């Protein structure tokens, strides 16, 4: 289960599993089951699946994820537009 701090208490965002999570500039990204990549739509509680797979991620200062694939490839995704 994924939670977000809401100033006074924790707010549940999603039920599920994430092996990695990153956030910046209000944007949240996770690596979910089967190495799938998900993006939380800013200002909502809706998660969108992003094409591709990864095992680790980091999020840069602009809120864009850098994904490491299981074969060692590193790539950047600009998310839904």
């Amino acid at each position: 289960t994924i939670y977000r701090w809401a100033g006074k208490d924790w707010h549940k965002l999603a039920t599920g599993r994430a092996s990695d999570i990153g956030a910046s500039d209000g944007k949240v990204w996770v690596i979910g089951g089967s190495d799938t990549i998900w993006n939380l739509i800013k200002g909502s509680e809706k998660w969108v699946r992003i094409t591709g797979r990864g095992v680790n991620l980091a999020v840069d200062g602009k809120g864009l994820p850098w994904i490491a694939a299981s074969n060692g490839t590193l790539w950047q995704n600009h998310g839904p537009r």
Side-chain angles (χ1 to χ4, degrees):
T1 305
I2 300 170
Y3 292 87
R4 173 182 60 193
W5 180 250
K8 294 182 181 179
D9 56 8
W10 291 97
H11 178 74
K12 184 176 174 180
L13 290 179
T15 299
R17 132 186 202 289
S19 59
D20 203 1
I21 186 168
S24 177
D25 192 36
K27 297 173 186 160
V28 180
W29 297 83
V30 300
I31 303 288
S34 301
D35 298 338
T36 54
I37 303 164
W38 295 84
N39 175 234
L40 178 64
I41 300 301
K42 190 173 181 177
S44 79
E45 294 184 15
K46 182 178 179 179
W47 292 88
V48 175
R49 171 129 188 256
I50 304 301
T51 303
R53 296 188 185 280
V55 294
N56 295 104
L57 65 82
V59 181
D60 68 19
K62 295 178 183 176
L64 300 174
W66 288 86
I67 311 294
S70 61
N71 66 1
T73 304
L74 182 65
W75 55 280
Q76 185 179 41
N77 188 303
H78 294 278
R81 295 173 186 239

